[in-house]
Amino acid sequence: MHITILALGSTGDILPYTALGKGLLDTGHRVRFITFENFKSRIIDLGMDFYPIQGDPRALVSQSGQNMLSLARSFGSLARGYARDLSAPELLETNLIINQLPVGLYGYDLAEKAGIPLILASVFPLAKTKYLPLMGFPGLPIPGYNRFTYTVGELIVWMMFKKVINEWRQTTLDLMPVKNQEYFGSSKGAPVSILNGFSPSVVERPGDWGKDIHITGTWFPEDQNWRPPDELVAFLDSGPPPIFIGFGSMTIKDTQKTTRIILEALKLTNQRAIMHRGWSDLGDQDLPESVFRINYAPYKWLFPRMGMIIHHGGSGTTAASLRSGVPSCAVPFLFDQYYWGKRIAALGVGPAPIRFGKLKTARLTKAILEGLNNQDIRQKAQKLGQQIRLEDGVKSAVDIINAILDKYQPQV
């Protein structure tokens, strides 16, 4: 079968879907991956067909704020370009669309036009539930509030996209315009399946999720061609396990200041560190010999060798840190990162998160000491890591996708 994956965002947003695509390839499917041009080489190296979307993931991240509204606005500003890029007739030549974009944007319309099933996919919980509000909304003890936040989130997204989407449907796809209540949650009257690429050991399944909503386990990317540089191996072997500090694809206005805060906390705690430069070029200054700066290393290899992990709370980085069995602490910048930071603390596998805007030497010092010295945290982190390493999220997701294909048996 031919499967199309549509995913846009930063590196951390895209990598889980490349792992899912590789899993589908390995079971005999042909996979087309639609994403930003920046990821072309990675997609092609994995053996998937690449289809480009114009855009800069760094700009998208930097424009995003700390709630659903600002995130939707960042995507919404590029809505017309997305519609243009997704208008090629060849995109309808597929058996199934897996869509990472919020509430099925664009994928819903392509699937309707092609007469094929649509699967929504996410690496953090976005399906409606009465037990938790939508990410980006505060928790309030108001009856009916939690489910209502998802409706509000849908409306926010729809306001940003409805004009472009409906114009595109009418002029390019020859489809009738839709209203938001028609757009979300179903395709031609059939429930849309949702794949959640996170661990059931980390996120408890809400009791009101239906049978079409699945928690598969995390889709961990692999990097089998990477070999550790000799300098990195020598640094790791030269002393006790260091602390990893990195903020991935996040952008920082004053990188020098942030680096100074980190170095001060490391000095006060007498710790060595691996500093990941990331998109903000963290650590671009004179560093002590006790700090080793890297551009890249696979987290599967690196994180188990750490004494503690300080990160931005992205879904992929959080999952990798939890799998490693090493205590971690999130320094969230936006959206789902706040959720994952709170989950780390709630699971007892790391200190409470530190908002990036509140990052100070004293707070970071306290978190490092707690993560290193609290034996309860360390034991819980080890136990959770063992549980996650037993899971195979890609295989579980592929099995579900194959079952959906068998059920609908669409024809190209």
Side-chain angles (χ1 to χ4, degrees):
M1 291 288 188
H2 187 281
I3 297 173
T4 295
I5 298 176
L6 172 58
L8 300 175
S10 67
T11 303
D13 297 317
I14 302 304
L15 287 184
Y17 296 91
T18 65
L20 179 59
K22 182 64 166 59
L24 290 165
L25 277 176
D26 290 344
T27 56
H29 296 291
R30 182 180 173 188
V31 179
R32 176 199 291 134
F33 204 110
I34 304 175
T35 190
F36 292 128
E37 185 79 28
N38 306 58
F39 303 106
K40 179 178 180 178
S41 60
R42 185 184 296 270
I43 301 302
I44 292 176
D45 288 346
L46 288 172
M48 290 178 273
D49 298 329
F50 174 77
Y51 185 89
I53 293 288
Q54 301 303 309
D56 182 355
R58 292 199 184 199
L60 187 66
V61 170
S62 64
Q63 293 167 9
S64 298
Q66 299 180 0
N67 52 47
M68 174 64 81
L69 178 60
S70 55
L71 187 69
R73 186 181 292 119
S74 295
F75 276 97
S77 65
L78 304 171
R80 198 167 299 279
Y82 295 158
R84 179 194 63 239
D85 293 341
L86 293 170
S87 294
E90 68 208 64
L91 297 184
L92 301 176
E93 299 172 1
T94 190
N95 299 106
L96 172 72
I97 294 176
I98 299 173
N99 193 358
Q100 167 253 20
L101 293 183
V103 291
L105 291 169
Y106 299 102
Y108 174 93
D109 312 280
L110 292 171
E112 181 182 345
K113 179 64 177 178
I116 58 175
L118 169 72
I119 294 176
L120 301 183
S122 180
V123 292
F124 41 81
L126 288 176
K128 284 185 178 180
T129 174
K130 67 181 180 182
Y131 296 103
L132 292 170
L134 177 63
M135 289 182 185
F137 287 83
L140 298 175
I142 301 174
Y145 166 78
N146 285 344
R147 287 190 67 86
F148 179 68
T149 61
Y150 294 86
T151 301
V152 172
E154 290 175 354
L155 289 172
I156 290 172
V157 174
W158 187 240
M159 283 190 297
M160 301 291 178
F161 285 86
K162 66 177 181 180
K163 182 178 180 180
V164 171
I165 289 284
N166 277 326
E167 286 178 358
W168 179 57
R169 286 175 62 88
Q170 291 177 281
T171 61
T172 301
L173 300 180
D174 195 26
L175 297 172
M176 293 293 292
V178 293
K179 299 178 181 179
N180 70 290
Q181 60 265 36
E182 298 170 333
Y183 198 86
F184 304 121
S186 66
S187 179
K188 292 184 177 296
V192 172
S193 295
I194 301 176
L195 297 181
N196 291 289
F198 46 76
S199 171
S201 300
V202 177
V203 179
E204 184 178 357
R205 180 186 177 89
D208 54 353
W209 277 5
K211 61 182 178 61
D212 295 301
I213 303 176
H214 308 273
I215 299 179
T216 66
T218 304
W219 309 324
F220 286 111
E222 299 288 342
D223 192 343
Q224 298 177 345
N225 297 322
W226 183 84
R227 296 292 181 270
D230 292 341
E231 297 84 353
L232 175 57
V233 173
F235 177 81
L236 293 173
D237 290 343
S238 66
I243 295 173
F244 173 89
I245 301 177
F247 302 131
S249 301
M250 295 299 98
T251 55
I252 301 171
K253 290 183 179 179
D254 191 343
T255 307
Q256 298 282 318
K257 177 183 176 181
T258 301
T259 302
R260 286 196 300 271
I261 290 172
I262 293 169
L263 294 179
E264 289 168 0
L266 291 172
K267 184 176 181 180
L268 288 170
T269 55
N270 194 30
Q271 294 299 313
R272 306 189 321 141
I274 297 288
M275 186 176 292
H276 178 226
R277 66 184 301 172
W279 282 7
S280 289
D281 210 16
L282 191 67
D284 185 23
Q285 60 195 72
D286 290 335
L287 299 175
E289 293 183 359
S290 58
V291 177
F292 189 93
R293 189 168 180 246
I294 63 170
N295 294 325
Y296 170 77
Y299 291 159
K300 183 178 181 180
W301 181 89
L302 183 65
F303 280 0
R305 292 169 166 81
M306 300 296 101
M308 185 179 178
I309 301 161
I310 309 291
H311 58 91
H312 61 296
S315 58
T317 308
T318 300
S321 69
L322 297 177
R323 177 179 61 174
S324 73
V326 175
S328 62
C329 178
V331 181
F333 289 63
L334 52 84
F335 198 48
D336 66 305
Q337 298 166 9
Y338 295 99
Y339 172 83
W340 294 119
K342 291 177 181 177
R343 285 305 300 154
I344 290 169
L347 291 165
V349 296
I354 307 169
R355 252 179 214 267
F356 177 75
K358 302 290 186 181
L359 184 64
K360 304 292 182 184
T361 299
R363 290 191 177 99
L364 184 57
T365 298
K366 179 181 177 182
I368 290 173
L369 291 174
E370 183 178 357
L372 292 175
N373 299 326
N374 188 312
Q375 291 305 309
D376 184 55
I377 285 177
R378 303 196 70 80
Q379 290 172 5
K380 287 181 177 178
Q382 291 173 4
K383 182 177 179 180
L384 180 59
Q386 292 170 353
Q387 293 172 345
I388 294 173
R389 291 193 293 273
L390 294 174
E391 301 168 3
D392 190 339
V394 170
K395 182 180 184 303
S396 296
V398 169
D399 289 345
I400 293 167
I401 292 167
N402 284 332
I404 291 171
L405 285 169
D406 289 343
K407 177 180 178 181
Y408 286 93
Q409 297 183 348
Q411 300 296 318
V412 173

